[in-house]
């Protein structure tokens, strides 16, 4: 008999005790109009014209729990994108995921960085190719602990990111083009949503570079924080 043992899936600490085992990581692109504009995308004039969201995935083991991110290989332009992260606590039932069903899937919330090899993403975009090498790489998803979500009104909160003590990004979650219920409804038409899934909800304007030695501080203001740093390339 010949067997192969794969690495264990990451487990994220839950505030107040417990762990959250990661199944998949879904990400939403262009979910804040100000960031879509800074990336050169056209923004729909109204909700009726917004079409469907842009989705991509990261591998589940891209999660970083201790905040220490080794500078990734293959890039000279590592960018930060601070994002709300939604953590799902149960599998989606068969059928349409309505807003009420979507709410029942949510276990809690975290703040994370959708780290991006912007040079590779830009080259892929220019050729109409997939974004995988720009988005789905090792250590590309540093994340805070997960705060159980009962009673948290996400629309009343804001996201922020400072790098080396300087404010880089700030956005109100009332400005999301697609809110949590919208995104879970759209995702459920494309994928089987499962307990353990994470959804990175998209970033506000102000994305920019990170260098070795930088320290970052991300916050879902008043709820949860993530402290981290960019470490030298491992040898
Ligand atoms: Mn993003």
């Amino acid at each position: 008999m010949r067997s192969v043992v794969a690495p264990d899936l990451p487990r994220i600490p839950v505030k107040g005790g417990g762990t959250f085992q990661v199944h998949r990581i879904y990400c939403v692109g262009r979910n804040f109009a100000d960031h879509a504009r800074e990336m050169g995308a056209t923004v729909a004039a109204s909700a009726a014209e917004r079409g469907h969201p842009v989705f991509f995935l990261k591998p589940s083991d891209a999660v970083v729990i201790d905040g220490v991110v080794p500078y990734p290989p293959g890039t000279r332009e590592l960018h930060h994108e601070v994002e709300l992260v939604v953590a799902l606590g149960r599998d989606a039932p068969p059928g349409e995921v309505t807003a009420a069903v979507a709410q029942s899937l949510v276990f809690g919330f975290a703040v994370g960085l959708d780290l991006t090899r912007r040079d590779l993403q830009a080259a892929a975009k220019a050729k109409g190719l997939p974004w995988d090498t720009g988005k789905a790489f090792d250590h590309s998803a540093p994340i805070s602990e997960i705060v159980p979500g009962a009673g948290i009104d996400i629309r009343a909160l804001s996201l922020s990111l400072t790098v080396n003590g300087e404010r880089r990004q700030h956005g109100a979650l009332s400005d999301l083009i697609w809110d949590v219920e919208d995104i879970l409804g759209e995702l459920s038409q494309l994928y089987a949503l499962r307990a353990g899934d994470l959804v990175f909800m998209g970033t506000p304007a102000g994305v920019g570079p990170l260098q070795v030695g930088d320290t970052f501080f991300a916050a879902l203001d008043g709820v949860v924080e993530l402290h981290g740093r960019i470490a030298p390339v491992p040898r």
Side-chain angles (χ1 to χ4, degrees):
M1 199 170 79
R2 305 174 71 189
S3 304
V4 174
V5 178
D8 287 338
L9 293 171
R11 289 173 187 268
I12 300 171
V14 174
K15 188 175 186 179
T19 55
F20 180 95
Q21 187 176 22
V22 181
H23 175 244
R24 289 182 187 165
I25 306 175
Y26 298 102
C27 302
V28 185
R30 301 173 192 161
N31 203 10
F32 284 88
D34 58 357
H35 172 65
R37 281 190 204 97
E38 77 176 345
M39 298 306 292
T42 36
V43 175
S46 71
E49 296 168 33
R50 66 185 177 172
H52 294 284
V54 175
F55 291 121
F56 57 93
L57 282 83
K58 291 178 186 272
S60 53
D61 65 354
V63 160
V64 171
I65 293 161
D66 65 2
V68 181
V69 176
Y71 197 93
T75 184
R76 294 183 172 186
E77 196 179 22
L78 176 68
H79 267 201
H80 54 73
E81 297 189 357
V82 67
E83 306 200 0
L84 169 69
V85 184
V86 181
L88 303 193
R90 67 183 190 91
D91 298 355
E96 186 186 355
V97 171
T98 60
V101 172
Q103 284 175 14
S104 76
L105 303 181
V106 176
F107 171 76
F109 300 100
V111 64
L113 298 185
D114 164 19
L115 292 176
T116 302
R117 294 194 277 215
R118 191 71 73 199
D119 44 358
L120 300 192
Q121 186 203 25
K125 274 187 181 177
K127 294 178 181 173
L129 295 172
W131 297 3
D132 298 56
T133 59
K135 287 290 194 180
F137 54 93
D138 296 316
H139 310 292
S140 60
I143 189 169
S144 69
E145 65 182 344
I146 292 172
V147 179
I152 298 178
D153 179 9
I154 283 299
R155 288 176 190 81
L157 300 176
S158 59
L159 282 170
S160 59
L161 177 74
T162 63
V163 177
N164 303 328
E166 186 177 299
R167 172 65 66 86
R168 293 273 189 94
Q169 290 190 265
H170 183 77
L173 289 166
S174 55
D175 288 343
L176 286 171
I177 296 172
W178 289 274
D179 66 17
V180 174
E181 290 80 9
D182 295 334
I183 288 297
L184 296 182
E186 292 272 350
L187 276 173
S188 72
Q189 295 175 44
L190 299 166
Y191 303 97
L193 295 175
R194 305 295 301 270
D197 287 344
L198 297 174
V199 184
F200 280 63
M201 288 289 295
T203 198
V207 301
L210 290 166
Q211 314 290 348
V212 171
D214 283 351
T215 57
F216 58 81
F217 171 66
L220 179 56
D221 291 318
V223 174
V224 68
E225 299 171 347
L226 167 66
H227 294 265
R229 63 186 168 88
I230 308 300
V233 181
R235 291 179 182 276

